[in-house]
Amino acid sequence: YASLGSRSALTSVDLAGNSKLTRVDLTGNDIKTLDISGNTALQELVLAGNASFNKLVSGVNAGMQVVDLTGTAYDNALQDDVVGKFANLRVLHAAGTQVSLLDVTKLTKLQSLDLHKDAASPASGTWLHTIDLSKNTALRDLRLANLHLAAINLNSSYLGQSYVGAGGQTMAS
C-alpha cells in the first residue's frame, strides 16, 4: 500500500518496480499523468483532487476494483483509459470531471458510480446527457446530480444497499 496524498504537491510519481502494490492513494497532489502498466497487482487507485490529472497509462488489469478520479481533469479518454481496461471495477468515482460520453455497460460488477457535478458548476461545462446502466445490475450507489441528463436506463434492485468502497470500508449508499 502506498499513500502519498494529503496535499503533498507531488507533480510526478514513479511506481515502476512496485509490481506487488495493491493500493495507491495519491489524493490532493498536482500529478498530471500516471503510468501503472507495471503494477499488475493493483486493486485500488485513488487520484482524487489532482485537478490537472488527465492521463492514466495502464495495461488490462482484471484485478482493479476501485478507481477514484474525483476532481480531476479527465475527459472522454476515461472510456479507453479506465473503463476499457478494468472490466471488474466495483467502484468508479469521477465526480467533477469533463466526461460527456461514457459506456459502462461492460462493467457488470459495478456497485458504486459517482459522476455528479457540483451545483455551482458553470452552465457552459461539459455534460453527460445520457447513460445506460441497464447491464449494471449490481449497482448500489449512484450519484449523477447536476449532469443535465436527458435519459437514464437503469436496472438494479440493489440501489441503496451498502457496498465495499476505498480501503475496504463498508459504505452506506
Side-chain angles (χ1 to χ4, degrees), residues 8 24-25 55 58 66 72 85-86 102 109 116 124 138 163:
S8 301
V24 173
D25 184 345
K55 183 63 179 168
S58 70
V66 176
T72 65
K85 294 188 177 172
F86 308 137
L102 190 62
K109 296 179 181 178
H116 84 276
S124 61
Y163 67 97

Side-chain angles (χ1 to χ4, degrees), residues 98-143:
Q98 300 301 310
V99 175
S100 63
L101 299 169
L102 190 62
D103 179 0
V104 294
T105 56
K106 292 182 181 175
L107 299 179
T108 58
K109 296 179 181 178
L110 197 61
Q111 294 180 14
S112 178
L113 178 63
D114 184 358
L115 300 171
H116 84 276
K117 290 190 182 266
D118 293 330
S121 294
S124 61
T126 304
W127 305 102
L128 184 66
H129 293 286
T130 183
I131 190 162
D132 182 357
L133 301 170
S134 62
K135 307 284 190 226
N136 307 101
T137 57
L139 267 176
R140 289 160 166 73
D141 176 51
L142 179 61
R143 292 177 238 164

Side-chain angles (χ1 to χ4, degrees), residues 135-158:
K135 307 284 190 226
N136 307 101
T137 57
L139 267 176
R140 289 160 166 73
D141 176 51
L142 179 61
R143 292 177 238 164
L144 301 173
N146 301 314
L147 290 178
H148 297 238
L149 281 167
I152 301 172
N153 188 355
L154 180 63
N155 183 23
S156 177
S157 59
Y158 296 105

Side-chain angles (χ1 to χ4, degrees), residues 3-111:
S3 179
L4 302 168
S6 301
R7 318 276 182 269
S8 301
L10 292 172
T11 57
S12 67
V13 175
D14 182 357
L15 297 175
N18 294 290
S19 61
K20 294 184 181 184
L21 273 177
T22 58
R23 183 171 182 237
V24 173
D25 184 345
L26 298 168
T27 301
N29 288 290
D30 195 22
I31 298 168
K32 293 174 180 51
T33 64
L34 183 65
D35 184 343
I36 59 167
S37 56
N39 305 102
T40 55
L42 203 56
Q43 296 175 3
E44 183 175 326
L45 179 63
V46 180
L47 289 159
N50 284 272
S52 300
F53 187 82
N54 66 0
K55 183 63 179 168
L56 182 65
V57 178
S58 70
V60 173
N61 181 342
M64 185 69 78
Q65 296 179 26
V66 176
V67 173
D68 187 347
L69 298 167
T70 300
T72 65
Y74 242 101
D75 56 18
N76 291 334
L78 182 72
Q79 184 70 45
D80 293 329
D81 293 355
V82 177
V83 175
K85 294 188 177 172
F86 308 137
N88 292 314
L89 274 181
R90 288 183 300 98
V91 176
L92 176 58
H93 290 178
T97 61
Q98 300 301 310
V99 175
S100 63
L101 299 169
L102 190 62
D103 179 0
V104 294
T105 56
K106 292 182 181 175
L107 299 179
T108 58
K109 296 179 181 178
L110 197 61
Q111 294 180 14

